[in-house]
Amino acid sequence: MRSAVETPTGSRAAIRLRPVPRYEPPFDDEATPQVWTSSRQLTLEWPAESPSAPAPPVVEPPVVAGASGDAKLAVRRFVRLCVEVLNGFRPAAHLRRLALPSRAAEVVAQGLTGARRAADLRRARQPTARRPPVGVIKVVLCEPRTGAVEAAVTLVTGDRTWAMAFRLELHQQNWSATDLVII
């Protein structure tokens, strides 16, 4: 059933439905970083201690390309699961299968604490109306070494902004969470 809106001239105009914009922005770490080459850096020529000492080798700076594709995929998967836990669509115990067994209790406890806070916040803000879900604003990745990735996630629910940080490590060909902090 279509509804119409009365215009100032008295005629009725049909209501047009427009598509909803994307809810999650793309990851910011997919851009290529700037890397200095040795030709742009200052060269300091220090006198050699002895005339027979060999010149030190020229070391090129390493090319930093950001996180690997596997690490990005693992972070997306973990963030989606955490958001589902915070929104109440999954129990916090589902975080256990993505956590390192020795650290699973701490990861699940943080997820449970965050889910309780989100539920209390939604209940206190809007007791009868539709409660706003927790959404992702921004994800920032860092891969300090191969096989380990750290991420900082900005979350929002209603007018409240949250932060979540976690670390995933590659163990036996599986990415496992070792730390999770929800602020």
Side-chain angles (χ1 to χ4, degrees):
M1 179 175 162
R2 283 189 177 190
S3 60
V5 176
E6 190 83 22
T7 61
T9 61
S11 64
R12 300 186 99 180
I15 295 177
R16 292 181 291 176
L17 296 177
R18 296 182 182 186
V20 177
R22 289 187 63 203
Y23 190 68
E24 295 181 14
F27 287 100
D28 291 339
D29 63 339
E30 295 174 354
T32 57
Q34 290 182 334
V35 178
W36 284 13
T37 60
S38 60
S39 63
R40 295 164 113 190
Q41 295 182 0
L42 295 175
T43 305
L44 300 175
E45 297 180 14
W46 299 98
E49 293 178 9
S50 65
S52 63
V58 177
V59 178
E60 292 289 326
V63 177
V64 179
S68 66
D70 290 340
K72 290 177 186 178
L73 186 64
V75 166
R76 283 187 188 190
R77 180 179 179 204
F78 191 78
V79 167
R80 284 185 181 160
L81 184 70
C82 286
V83 168
E84 288 176 359
V85 167
L86 293 175
N87 282 326
F89 295 124
R90 286 182 180 255
H94 282 199
L95 292 172
R96 181 177 305 278
R97 65 185 171 96
L98 292 181
L100 193 64
S102 62
R103 304 283 301 164
E106 291 88 2
V107 171
V108 171
Q110 274 291 322
L112 184 60
T113 303
R116 286 181 181 158
R117 273 193 233 152
D120 292 343
L121 182 66
R122 287 192 303 263
R123 208 174 303 125
R125 297 278 182 192
Q126 299 176 359
T128 57
R130 183 171 178 255
R131 297 177 179 115
V134 175
V136 176
I137 295 177
K138 187 175 183 179
V139 177
V140 180
L141 299 179
C142 171
E143 194 166 7
R145 65 173 173 84
T146 304
V149 64
E150 296 174 349
V153 183
T154 309
L155 304 168
V156 66
T157 179
D159 58 349
R160 179 83 181 239
T161 304
W162 299 27
M164 177 173 69
F166 59 90
R167 180 181 175 98
L168 300 177
E169 292 183 1
L170 191 61
H171 291 281
Q172 299 175 353
Q173 303 301 320
N174 290 323
W175 288 95
S176 302
T178 57
D179 289 308
L180 172 65
V181 178
I182 300 175
I183 301 172

